[in-house]
Amino acid sequence: MKMRLTRCFNFAGKVSSALSPAAGRKRRLRQTILICAAVAAGSATAGFEAQGAEKGAWITTWAATPAPRWSDDLPAPFGVPEVLENQTVRQVARISVGGNTVRVALSNAFGAKPLTIGAASVGKAGKDGDVDQATLKPLTWGGKSSVVVPPGAPILSDPVALPAEALSEISVSIFLPK
C-alpha cells in the first residue's frame, strides 16, 4: 500500500502545527476534524466482542476518548492544528493486551462534517515514531481502502493479521485528503 506522508503528526511526541497564523480563525472554524482511534486485539482470553466484529473474542487494548471541539477562546491543545488537509496523522499506541489480529475504530463523534479517510495502515512501531516496514499492513473498511465517516458516527476497520505482544507498540497512520 502506498500512502502519501506529506507531514506526520506524531501525537506520541512533540506535535507540530501545519497552520500558519495567517490561516486565520475563519478557516479553522469551517472545518474541525476529530479522530479518536481505538485498537482492538483478538485474544483467546478476551471475553467481549467489538460491535460488528466477526465471531471470536475482541478486546480493546488501547483507546483515546473522543472530545468535543475546544472553544474559540482556547487555542488548540498541544499545538495540534484544527484543520488537517492532505496530511497523515500517526498515532503510536502502547497496547496492553497482545494478540494475532487487530482492528482500528475511528470516531467522528463530535464532527459536524463527514470525515474522509483516504488511506490508513497499521504496523509495529519502530524507533522515534517510525513504522517497522516489514509489519506494515493496509487498513480497509468493508474491503475498501478509503471510507467516509458520517458526523456523529464511529467506524470499525476490517480485521488485520498483525501479531503483537502485550505491552508492545502499534503504529496507526491515517491519511486525511480533506
Side-chain angles (χ1 to χ4, degrees):
M1 176 179 132
K2 275 190 167 182
M3 273 185 34
R4 269 189 305 194
L5 183 61
T6 55
R7 180 173 294 166
C8 178
F9 293 96
N10 183 345
F11 293 104
K14 184 179 177 187
V15 179
S16 58
S17 174
L19 292 179
S20 68
R25 184 177 266 181
K26 287 183 183 179
R27 181 171 180 214
R28 287 181 295 206
L29 292 175
R30 282 194 303 257
Q31 295 179 342
T32 299
I33 295 176
L34 297 173
I35 296 177
C36 167
V39 178
S43 171
T45 60
F48 301 98
E49 272 190 57
Q51 186 176 10
E54 288 122 32
K55 290 191 178 194
W58 290 93
I59 186 168
T60 300
T61 186
W62 184 91
T65 306
R69 182 188 176 279
W70 41 88
S71 73
D72 291 339
D73 297 331
L74 182 67
F78 311 111
V80 177
E82 290 186 48
V83 178
L84 296 175
E85 187 173 274
N86 198 29
Q87 303 287 317
T88 295
V89 175
R90 178 172 293 146
Q91 176 70 58
V92 176
R94 183 176 172 107
I95 61 172
S96 57
V97 177
N100 293 319
T101 309
V102 298
R103 296 183 93 169
V104 175
L106 301 174
S107 176
N108 193 14
F110 294 99
K113 296 180 181 182
L115 173 63
T116 301
I117 307 296
S121 64
V122 64
K124 291 183 181 179
K127 190 175 180 180
D128 298 326
D130 289 337
V131 181
D132 178 351
Q133 295 296 313
T135 66
L136 189 63
K137 308 277 180 129
L139 287 174
T140 58
W141 295 269
K144 297 179 181 175
S145 62
S146 64
V147 68
V148 176
V149 186
I155 189 126
L156 186 63
S157 76
D158 298 330
V160 175
L162 182 67
E165 299 292 322
L167 303 179
S168 62
E169 291 184 334
I170 300 288
S171 179
V172 179
S173 300
I174 302 161
F175 174 65
L176 304 167
K178 58 181 178 176

